[in-house]
Amino acid sequence: MGFVLRALQRARPAIGGRVSTFRWITSTPDLHKPEGAAAAEPAAPEPEIPPRTPVGGARVQFSNPDDAIEVFVDGYPVKIPKGMTVLQACEVAGVDIPRFCYHSRLSIAGNCRMCLVEVEKSPKPVASCAMPALPGMKIKTNTPVAKKAREGVMEFLLMNHPLDCPICDQGGECDLQDQSMAFGSDRGRFTEMKRSVVDKNLGPLVKTVMTRCIQCTRCVRFASEIAGVQDLGMLGRGSGEEIGTYVEKLMTSELSGNVIDICPVGALTSKPFAFKARNWELKGTESIDVTDAVGSNIRIDSRGPEVMRILPRLNEDINEEWISDKTRFCYDGLKRQRLNDPMIRGPDGRFKSVSWRDALAVVAEVIHQVKPDEIVGVAGKLSDAESMMALKDFVNRMGSNSVLCEGNGPNPQADLRSSYLMNTSIAGLEKADVFLLVGTQPRVEAPMVNARIRKTVKANQAKVAYIGPPTDINYDHQHIGTGAETLVELVEGRHPFSSTLHSAKNPVIIVGAGIFERDDKDAVFSAVETIAKNAKVVRPDWNGLNVLLLNAAQAAALDLGLVSSPNDTIPSAKFLYLMGADDISLEKLPDDAFVVYQGHHGDKSVYRANVILPASAFSEKEGTYENTEGCTQWTVPAVPTVGDARDDWKIVRALSEVAGVRLPYDSLTAIRARIKTVAPNLLQVDERELATMSFELKPPVSQKISSDPFKPAIENFYMTDSITRASKIMAQCSASLLKK
Amino acid sequence: MFPAAARLAAKRAFQIRTAFHGSPKVTLASRSFSTALNYHIDSPDNNPDMPWDFSQANKERVKEILSHYPSNYKQSAVIPLLDLAQQQHGGWLPVSAMNAVAKIIEVAPIRVYEVATFYSMFNRTKVGKYHLLVCGTTPCMIRGSREIEEALLKHLGVKRNEVTKDGLFSVGEMECMGCCVNAPMITVADYSKGSEGYTYNYYEDVTPKRVIEIIEMLRRGEAPPVGTQNPLRIKSGPEGGNTTLLGEPKPPPCRDLDAC
């Protein structure tokens, strides 16, 4: 039959030019009469179907064994919990259903119709994403009916979709491209004009080519459900339907970059990445993010020595499958303002490039000229655990005890891990029903934690109370105060929110790490602990007392005991070793102090430095980071380092040898063995080491709570560290999105 | 010979297409029945900074409309409130009116924009005090709605969705209004008396001549009789009186159970 059709098709041009406008459509003949084809098949004995592996690691959990129902997907029986959709049942059975509008983390829209499957006894194909699976349902995913339905839907989707794949940035990772190859027809019948849609300006991060949009509304649902900004909507109707903001409005969300990932076509693509590379040219390196304390799992896509883009990686416990815009777009900062040679500041005040040997010799000479207690080492907010360990060992061997990490404030409380970690864990926040945010603005400090809180508020109607400066919170909350006096009211139970907190089943208190910088921090923490004790926030089965850290290095620094106080040490320092520390105040530093800056970016502290030692950035080294919930993760080098830069710990190790106090480790394994003796949890990669909680162990606090209101810990979300400050994209974001 | 024939066929196909759609240029424009684009462009009389609020009398009506819905489903009132706002604002919705509605029903403005752009009866650009809507659906089109629209546009000297210089009239198109039996028909949305005196009248069985008479009457401030404009018809009855079912209909035999 097929042969005859093809022969006819060949013959057509010869028959006459008059019918040349007529287009001959071939397709598998049994598609035209699916019922007939199905009936014609001989009733062969059912072949034994081997169990298939679920799609994308789909798993089923039965909270109640009675809720299990059995459905048949292509004849293969599969047990699923009640309430699952047909599409999810197919995934468990190992059948991948094509889809555009369905996304497992968003509400179900059911408007693309790509997921049509045949269900026995149903007169029409059903949209599997919106259809609940019923017991005994016989789902067929590869019958002629289902195939024809998909082919038809695909033809309609492609009707108004431009044929610009060669110039489209989504090319190669486009759902529409892939699925039209797999499920579409080899030609279309559409001869009319395609529509065109005006592009929207969504800001410096998301590039729009709205003509490519297939109206799946994933971005609209993401913006309103997860990002919590009600900016995007579906405007118009019918063939004039389009996604837009109606009024000229930028997408001012810290998660806006994720719409690039969820867009199944090339309508929303990355503006900084536009026309830079094709996805098949890129090498993906699975690493973690260091721009905040969350440690989002990322994939660094690089081409040769250049980081081309950063994408999120699935980690249900930390970032799910989202990342913040700062994480995603800070990468251009890795190419700018880099330090690539050791440098010494000459008598004329200008830096001169020197060799490593000379630079280290100068530093070693100076360090022996100062008194041991005048030596201070400061680890920066992007430092990994290995380099902090090396710095601490080196400074200690030089006879000083002044090693600290910026951001941890004066006299950090490092005795109990529970007093500086997010004890509930990020995923655990979903079980909470009341939140008390003390001096923290999670939306700017840790957008992924904020997304979790928002998810919980949406799902469980959890109540949120916030104490701190006025800020933009994208979920329902009560702003119950700006300073510590509200805490006192809560301690004494006078505040109306106390009763809410006391009646909560799983209350969560989150204290911002900005409090660390306050002089009355011990009193604030003691007040928070009293509130926690009164409201039974910490129980054997639930630990709801959390500290939300700001920087990637903070948790590991406290674990390793970098606990000196900058207020005491900086004014008396004569030799200051800054390991990437740019946000520490150097105003009180004596003018005759010798400053060594070891780091990867020419940022704030370089202005004061006498010697510069170039180091590698997080994308270029192997390093251990501990995130705010105490989960240890590794970065993996994605690109070679620039110029003559070296890993931080190697520089300190080399310096120690030149200075005559050789550190006893020459490899990562050796330094990790040393870390194991101090903080063994830092070797348990991708695991959370739980912290034990006991208020009784803490010494009594004699401090008085001051009446100063809490200050915002982060002024500009887009620029918090040396990498993001060097980034042009982040500068554009600060200019356009933070405009008041 | 073949190429000549092909050319002929292509030409004929083009003619057929033109006959169906009008000229190819207007094909796309005539697809959209809404009076505005799907996005907003600031103008002096339509921008978000323009203050807009319901009048005192309409505030009472807003309260009344909201009372129809549970207090946690205020957003259900979006369509009646937009309608009221449109009546108050002379037949169209500036973006600030939509923002005012969004504030009342406590949703993000975009959710109101979505509704206002979806329904073509919400005008997002200026319309005349008398907004004339010509039915463009098949029965009316067969009975000559194209000619009606042409006559209106020619008489008023405007294009579709354009307002006359005196601000009195504008002509738009609407889909089936359920008067196919009296086709062709036009609707006149009368915004000249604000939301209190707002009327929405059907004029059926119109002819190009009659429709001009109607708008001239409206211009003079008179009220043309609504309904069919054919003097020989009564409402939707047949011309010249009924032709069937004139006598008392006989009851169906089987219903008379005693007779069976």
Side-chain angles (χ1 to χ4, degrees):
Chain A
M1 179 67 187
F3 170 75
V4 178
L5 279 175
R6 216 170 308 147
L8 263 174
Q9 192 190 355
R10 290 265 169 77
R12 279 280 144 179
I15 291 171
R18 205 136 47 103
V19 285
S20 60
T21 47
F22 180 78
R23 299 178 73 182
W24 195 253
I25 311 289
T26 48
S27 62
T28 342
D30 56 6
L31 288 186
H32 293 299
K33 264 176 37 197
E35 306 79 24
E41 255 173 42
E46 281 290 309
E48 194 78 6
I49 307 157
R52 287 178 271 192
T53 41
V55 177
R59 271 171 299 171
V60 280
Q61 283 177 341
F62 297 98
S63 48
N64 179 0
D66 298 338
D67 281 347
I69 56 172
E70 193 178 45
V71 296
F72 300 89
V73 180
D74 296 335
Y76 169 61
V78 55
K79 274 214 160 44
I80 52 160
K82 222 181 250 172
M84 260 194 170
T85 62
V86 172
L87 188 141
Q88 287 168 319
C90 292
E91 278 189 347
V92 174
V95 180
D96 201 1
I97 305 287
R99 85 284 303 265
F100 293 110
C101 72
Y102 176 82
H103 192 280
S104 52
R105 274 167 229 281
L106 304 174
S107 64
I108 293 169
N111 56 1
C112 75
R113 319 305 292 179
M114 192 61 203
C115 61
L116 291 173
V117 295
E118 190 186 352
V119 173
E120 212 169 273
K121 296 205 186 84
S122 162
K124 292 186 285 184
V126 297
S128 60
C129 70
M131 180 70 146
L134 301 172
M137 212 177 212
K138 291 193 173 62
I139 302 156
K140 294 169 181 172
T141 62
N142 54 6
T143 55
V145 169
K147 282 181 185 164
K148 192 185 175 192
R150 283 174 196 155
E151 206 174 294
V153 168
M154 183 53 84
E155 197 173 340
F156 273 120
L157 286 174
L158 292 175
M159 235 165 62
N160 273 322
H161 191 81
L163 295 172
D164 61 355
C165 300
I167 56 152
C168 176
D169 264 315
Q170 193 85 349
E173 49 185 355
C174 174
D175 285 359
L176 189 66
Q177 208 177 30
D178 296 349
Q179 291 181 28
S180 69
M181 288 303 289
F183 304 103
S185 171
D186 59 344
R187 68 203 64 191
R189 287 169 284 187
F190 189 69
T191 53
E192 309 286 312
M193 294 279 282
K194 282 182 191 264
R195 70 167 195 161
S196 65
V197 181
V198 177
D199 292 345
K200 311 293 185 293
N201 179 10
L202 292 183
L205 302 177
V206 183
K207 179 187 163 188
T208 62
V209 185
M210 295 315 280
T211 305
R212 293 177 189 148
C213 177
I214 58 167
Q215 278 78 40
C216 70
T217 69
R218 273 188 190 180
C219 52
V220 177
R221 283 174 284 145
F222 176 84
S224 59
E225 289 164 21
I226 291 175
V229 286
Q230 306 262 355
D231 285 345
L232 287 176
M234 176 71 100
L235 303 167
R237 70 190 298 179
S239 59
E241 201 170 48
E242 55 185 87
I243 301 284
T245 51
Y246 194 65
V247 288
E248 179 82 26
K249 203 170 185 184
L250 304 182
M251 200 176 166
T252 50
S253 165
E254 69 288 351
L255 299 175
S256 64
N258 292 300
V259 297
I260 297 163
D261 289 338
I262 59 168
C263 183
V265 294
L268 304 176
T269 49
S270 166
K271 207 171 240 177
F273 182 64
F275 309 129
K276 291 285 193 299
R278 283 299 192 184
N279 76 314
W280 57 82
E281 305 167 340
L282 302 174
K283 182 191 80 171
T285 310
E286 302 198 335
S287 187
I288 62 148
D289 168 53
V290 299
T291 54
D292 57 28
V294 175
S296 301
N297 287 219
I298 54 169
R299 196 182 83 203
I300 301 175
D301 276 356
S302 57
R303 187 174 61 185
E306 202 180 356
V307 176
M308 299 306 291
R309 64 172 176 184
I310 291 177
L311 293 180
R313 192 152 59 84
L314 181 74
N315 187 331
E316 294 289 355
D317 293 333
I318 296 172
N319 57 326
E320 297 181 277
E321 58 186 272
W322 320 118
I323 49 173
S324 73
D325 286 352
K326 185 165 59 172
T327 308
R328 185 185 298 265
F329 293 110
C330 71
Y331 61 85
D332 76 325
L334 293 169
K335 300 169 212 164
R336 304 163 61 81
Q337 296 269 76
R338 286 300 293 269
L339 304 172
N340 45 11
D341 284 311
M343 279 181 267
I344 296 176
R345 195 191 287 272
D348 56 346
R350 301 181 72 86
F351 280 112
K352 211 172 90 219
S353 292
V354 293
S355 69
W356 271 107
R357 184 183 296 272
D358 295 346
L360 292 178
V362 168
V363 176
E365 195 190 320
V366 175
I367 201 166
H368 281 295
Q369 286 165 3
V370 296
K371 281 192 225 123
D373 52 353
E374 288 168 346
I375 299 171
V376 177
V378 184
K381 51 169 67 164
L382 305 178
S383 308
D384 53 274
E386 287 85 356
S387 58
M388 286 191 285
M389 185 78 256
L391 180 69
K392 182 172 161 60
D393 281 350
F394 171 61
V395 174
N396 287 354
R397 277 176 190 236
M398 290 308 298
S400 166
N401 204 17
S402 306
V403 198
L404 56 125
C405 177
E406 62 177 353
N408 282 344
N411 302 315
Q413 286 292 334
D415 296 338
L416 294 171
R417 276 185 91 227
S418 62
S419 64
Y420 55 86
L421 289 184
M422 177 161 262
N423 299 306
T424 314
S425 84
I426 295 171
L429 292 177
E430 286 183 30
K431 295 198 199 84
D433 52 359
V434 169
F435 289 91
L436 175 63
L437 308 179
V438 181
T440 176
Q441 296 95 39
R443 193 167 177 192
V444 286
E445 291 173 16
M448 295 333 302
V449 171
N450 193 54
R452 269 316 159 138
I453 300 176
R454 185 181 152 75
K455 189 178 174 187
T456 316
V457 171
K458 287 229 3 161
N460 311 348
Q461 278 76 45
K463 295 201 172 49
V464 183
Y466 165 69
I467 305 174
T471 183
D472 192 12
I473 295 181
N474 55 359
Y475 34 83
D476 285 342
H477 69 283
Q478 311 170 39
H479 189 182
I480 61 170
T482 54
E485 63 269 25
T486 318
L487 277 181
V488 177
E489 282 178 33
L490 281 167
V491 168
E492 293 164 4
R494 284 186 282 131
H495 200 277
F497 190 74
S498 297
S499 57
T500 319
L501 198 63
H502 284 251
S503 58
K505 231 163 70 194
N506 290 332
V508 160
I509 300 177
I510 302 178
V511 186
I515 306 280
F516 285 162
E517 306 282 359
R518 281 172 71 98
D519 293 329
D520 61 343
K521 72 182 177 81
D522 288 342
V524 170
F525 272 95
S526 131
V528 169
E529 274 156 24
T530 318
I531 296 169
K533 222 182 287 176
N534 293 344
K536 300 203 171 52
V537 173
V538 183
R539 304 187 304 254
D541 61 325
W542 175 257
N543 190 345
L545 186 56
N546 300 299
V547 177
L548 179 57
L549 297 178
L550 290 169
N551 311 326
Q554 256 175 320
L558 291 170
D559 271 3
L560 292 171
L562 277 72
V563 287
S564 196
S565 164
N567 289 11
D568 313 336
T569 52
I570 296 275
S572 61
K574 284 277 152 32
F575 179 92
L576 185 61
Y577 197 96
L578 298 174
M579 197 173 68
D582 289 301
D583 292 278
I584 195 150
S585 167
L586 299 180
E587 280 164 24
K588 288 188 193 141
L589 187 72
D591 287 340
D592 60 340
F594 188 84
V595 179
V596 178
Y597 182 80
Q598 169 189 332
H600 38 79
H601 277 79
D603 204 45
K604 288 180 191 168
S605 296
V606 167
Y607 293 104
R608 179 63 184 81
N610 298 87
V611 172
I612 293 174
L613 305 175
S616 46
F618 78 100
S619 57
E620 297 148 10
K621 68 180 171 192
E622 219 174 315
T624 307
Y625 289 89
E626 186 181 357
N627 77 356
T628 184
E629 55 167 358
C631 178
T632 308
Q633 299 179 100
W634 276 349
T635 56
V636 177
V639 288
T641 186
V642 297
D644 229 1
R646 295 284 184 275
D647 287 1
D648 284 293
W649 75 269
K650 287 183 185 164
I651 299 171
V652 179
R653 160 70 182 75
L655 178 62
S656 72
E657 182 151 351
V658 180
V661 285
R662 200 174 71 85
L663 295 172
Y665 26 78
D666 298 326
S667 66
L668 264 179
T669 330
I671 194 165
R672 282 180 182 154
R674 162 73 182 128
I675 287 174
K676 194 176 182 180
T677 61
V678 183
N681 59 297
L682 288 174
L683 267 66
Q684 313 276 330
V685 174
D686 291 338
E687 263 175 49
R688 262 189 83 225
E689 179 80 21
L690 291 173
T692 45
M693 192 76 187
S694 54
F695 299 130
E696 288 72 30
L697 289 175
K698 285 212 168 176
V701 177
S702 53
Q703 270 179 347
K704 267 270 174 42
I705 287 187
S706 81
S707 57
D708 296 348
F710 295 139
K711 284 204 256 338
I714 291 177
E715 294 290 346
N716 178 353
F717 164 69
Y718 294 103
M719 289 187 166
T720 50
D721 49 58
S722 56
I723 298 175
T724 48
R725 276 192 290 261
S727 159
K728 211 171 163 182
I729 306 168
M730 291 292 106
Q732 285 171 352
C733 288
S734 332
S736 62
L737 298 179
L738 296 177
K739 225 184 314 182
K740 288 289 172 314
Chain B
M1 185 217 154
F2 280 141
R7 236 189 337 262
L8 213 81
K11 204 170 155 194
R12 184 75 194 125
F14 179 75
Q15 279 169 353
I16 291 167
R17 194 181 288 181
T18 341
F20 270 109
H21 294 286
S23 79
K25 258 184 221 159
V26 297
T27 313
L28 281 172
S30 68
R31 293 284 306 162
S32 167
F33 300 115
S34 173
T35 57
L37 299 164
N38 276 341
Y39 50 93
H40 167 80
I41 296 170
D42 277 354
S43 66
D45 62 344
N46 186 7
N47 60 66
D49 303 325
M50 205 172 71
W52 198 95
D53 205 358
F54 282 106
S55 66
Q56 215 51 47
N58 280 343
K59 276 194 177 145
E60 291 303 311
R61 287 179 70 183
V62 168
K63 249 183 228 160
E64 202 271 328
I65 290 168
L66 285 174
S67 71
H68 296 191
Y69 307 98
S71 57
N72 53 336
Y73 285 101
K74 272 188 183 169
Q75 64 266 41
S76 307
V78 62
I79 292 178
L81 289 184
L82 281 174
D83 186 33
L84 187 63
Q86 172 161 306
Q87 291 167 22
Q88 182 185 319
H89 199 76
W92 67 289
L93 286 168
V95 68
S96 48
M98 297 188 230
N99 290 344
V101 170
K103 211 166 186 184
I104 289 172
I105 57 171
E106 291 162 13
V107 297
I110 184 72
R111 301 280 98 84
V112 176
Y113 305 150
E114 283 180 323
V115 174
T117 53
F118 185 85
Y119 293 103
S120 54
M121 284 166 84
F122 290 127
N123 304 311
R124 286 169 291 115
T125 52
K126 214 164 187 166
V127 295
K129 283 188 171 155
Y130 298 98
H131 189 44
L132 315 171
L133 294 157
V134 183
C135 177
T137 310
T138 323
C140 281
M141 199 186 91
I142 294 171
R143 299 276 292 147
S145 68
R146 290 270 156 93
E147 287 75 36
I148 305 272
E149 193 187 2
E150 218 166 277
L152 282 174
L153 295 177
K154 203 172 154 205
H155 181 76
L156 296 172
V158 290
K159 293 198 198 85
R160 187 190 279 184
N161 292 330
E162 203 177 74
V163 187
T164 51
K165 285 218 180 71
D166 53 6
L168 269 184
F169 295 102
S170 56
V171 183
E173 187 183 317
M174 180 99 88
E175 289 317 302
C176 188
M177 288 181 266
C179 281
C180 311
V181 71
N182 289 4
M185 62 89 65
I186 65 165
T187 303
V188 177
D190 178 0
Y191 299 106
S192 59
K193 299 178 210 68
S195 55
E196 293 80 25
Y198 168 71
T199 55
Y200 188 78
N201 290 324
Y202 282 15
Y203 298 93
E204 299 147 16
D205 275 326
V206 289
T207 56
K209 198 168 136 249
R210 179 65 190 158
V211 89
I212 309 271
E213 286 169 24
I214 290 171
I215 56 169
E216 284 311 316
M217 284 169 89
L218 289 171
R219 201 195 289 278
R220 289 195 298 271
E222 295 166 28
V226 297
T228 176
Q229 304 296 311
N230 185 342
L232 300 174
R233 297 183 68 178
I234 299 165
K235 295 197 171 150
S236 52
E239 191 172 313
N242 292 354
T243 53
T244 56
L245 300 173
L246 291 172
E248 190 65 26
K250 265 195 284 177
C254 62
R255 292 297 158 94
D256 190 4
L257 295 175
D258 296 332
C260 290

